[in-house]
């Protein structure tokens, strides 16, 4: 029997994996909240982003934690197709859950269906990732701990979807993401404690890729995706902010109908040409010729 070490790098991998789970949960919850405030294509796009964020966060959490997993007496390699399939499963089942919540009319039924589907899918992703391990030996599982890990996954997924439906304040979403990250990490390590490995020493090479060849670069890439998407969501305006901007623009726009509010008597006749402006006469202009007064005696004699 080989000795299993779940933290070969100390607390680094558990803490980092928990941070990945919290980041994915927070991003997914914020995207789901945005989706519920919109309709049509915008809702669909936000739900797709939420599914990719939660699925990526859970998968990254799992394999970052697996960076610290080791078994004495044997090397470990990872089957690349199965590992990628576990990532697709994580995103796919999470998408089913968030779309059930985003488009379901009966909230309670949608929450139960979405939580059950997402929880079972998360557990399936975990054990699919464990099936991708290649080592010299045989892997067995404690069925009670496996069942407990599935229950934890379902409860965590249901709680996360409930939070997406009922919690909208950023501080509350952050707290819910911390709780969900703790639940996902608990599910992972419960499933890992269910593992029992019987090592069969062998010098034959193992198929697959090593941790540093495949898992580490992929985890770094997906983690970068989470942080970049988080920045994008944080900077993008919400539906309320869009409405406030539109209202402010309407208030600042000039009213083009103001010309129509004058009484009819004050409107110029369109058939009457506008009088041409005349230049005002100077106040002290001198005439060009002599000016005679009508009372001038010379004028009187002339007539």
């Amino acid at each position: 029997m080989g000795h299993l070490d779940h933290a070969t790098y100390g607390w680094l991998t558990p803490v980092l994996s928990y941070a990945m789970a919290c980041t994915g949960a927070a991003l997914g919850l914020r995207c789901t909240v945005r989706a519920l405030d919109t309709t049509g294509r915008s809702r669909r796009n936000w739900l797709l982003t939420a599914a990719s964020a939660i699925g990526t966060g859970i998968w990254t959490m799992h394999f970052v934690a697996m960076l610290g997993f080791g078994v004495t007496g044997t090397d470990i390699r990872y089957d690349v197709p199965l590992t990628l399939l576990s990532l697709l499963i994580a995103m796919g089942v999470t998408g089913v859950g968030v779309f059930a919540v985003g488009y379901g009319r009966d909230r309670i039924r949608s929450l139960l269906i979405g939580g059950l589907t997402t929880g079972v899918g998360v557990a399936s992703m975990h054990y699919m990732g464990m099936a991708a391990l290649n080592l010299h030996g045989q892997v067995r599982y404690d069925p009670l701990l496996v069942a407990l890990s599935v229950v934890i996954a379902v409860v965590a997924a249901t709680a996360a979807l409930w939070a997406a439906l009922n919690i909208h304040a950023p501080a509350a979403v952050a707290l819910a993401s911390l709780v969900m990250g703790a639940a996902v990490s608990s599910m992972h390590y419960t499933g890992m404690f269910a593992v029992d490995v019987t090592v069969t020493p062998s010098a034959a090479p193992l198929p697959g890729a090593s941790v540093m060849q495949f898992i580490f670069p992929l985890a770094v890439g997906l983690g970068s995706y989470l942080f970049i998407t988080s920045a994008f969501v944080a900077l993008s305006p919400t539906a309320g902010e869009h409405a406030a901007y539109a209202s402010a623009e309407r208030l600042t726009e000039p009213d083009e109908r103001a010309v129509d509010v004058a009484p009819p008597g004050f409107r110029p006749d369109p058939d009457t040409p506008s009088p041409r402006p005349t230049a005002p006469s100077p106040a002290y202009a001198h005439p060009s010729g002599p000016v005679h007064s009508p009372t001038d005696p010379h004028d009187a004699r002339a007539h």
Side-chain angles (χ1 to χ4, degrees):
M1 181 181 296
H3 173 70
L4 277 63
D5 190 351
H6 298 285
T8 57
Y9 298 103
W11 285 98
L12 176 62
T13 51
V15 171
L16 188 57
S17 63
Y18 173 69
M20 292 294 103
C22 293
T23 302
L27 179 57
L29 291 179
R30 290 302 299 166
C31 291
T32 305
V33 170
R34 297 284 186 94
L36 295 176
D37 291 336
T38 59
T39 57
R41 183 181 300 178
S42 181
R43 171 173 289 193
R44 182 202 63 191
N45 293 339
W46 279 117
L47 290 176
L48 288 174
T49 306
S52 66
I54 297 176
T56 299
I58 293 173
W59 187 94
T60 306
M61 176 270 150
H62 170 78
F63 280 98
V64 167
M66 292 302 292
L67 294 175
F69 177 71
V71 181
T72 57
T74 179
D75 293 330
I76 296 177
R77 296 290 185 271
Y78 289 87
D79 187 301
V80 174
L82 282 180
T83 303
L84 294 177
L85 179 60
S86 68
L87 174 60
L88 296 179
I89 289 175
M91 291 184 178
V93 297
T94 304
V96 172
V98 296
F99 270 85
V101 169
Y103 287 100
R105 296 184 178 180
D106 187 340
R107 284 199 166 191
I108 296 179
R109 184 173 63 182
S110 300
L111 182 62
L112 294 177
I113 294 175
L116 180 62
T117 303
T118 304
V120 172
V122 168
S124 300
M125 179 277 301
H126 173 84
Y127 290 105
M128 178 68 70
M130 294 299 296
L133 268 67
N134 293 322
L135 49 80
H136 293 299
Q138 186 176 4
V139 180
R140 297 184 179 88
Y141 293 93
D142 185 333
L144 292 179
L145 289 178
V146 170
L148 179 59
S149 68
V150 175
V151 171
I152 293 174
V154 172
V155 172
T158 306
L161 295 176
W162 177 88
L165 287 173
N166 297 280
I167 296 177
H168 299 279
V173 170
L175 180 61
S177 66
L178 294 177
V179 175
M180 183 181 175
V184 171
S185 297
S186 299
M187 180 275 299
H188 170 82
Y189 284 104
T190 300
M192 293 305 297
F193 289 141
V195 175
D196 183 21
V197 179
T198 301
V199 175
T200 303
S202 174
L206 290 168
S210 66
V211 169
M212 292 301 173
Q213 289 175 339
F214 175 61
I215 299 298
F216 181 74
L218 187 57
V220 170
L222 293 176
S224 301
Y225 162 77
L226 286 177
F227 284 109
I228 293 173
T229 308
S230 299
F232 169 77
V233 172
L235 294 175
S236 61
T238 62
E241 291 171 343
H242 274 299
Y245 294 155
S247 177
E249 289 180 357
R250 285 194 299 269
L251 291 176
T252 56
E253 286 178 353
D255 191 353
E256 297 179 353
R257 296 172 299 173
V259 296
D260 297 329
V261 299
F266 291 92
R267 294 180 181 176
D269 188 354
D271 298 330
T272 303
S274 300
R276 294 182 179 179
T278 58
S281 300
Y284 299 97
H286 295 282
S288 59
V291 178
H292 301 284
S293 172
T295 58
D296 194 335
H298 296 285
D299 290 341
R301 287 194 300 269
H303 293 285

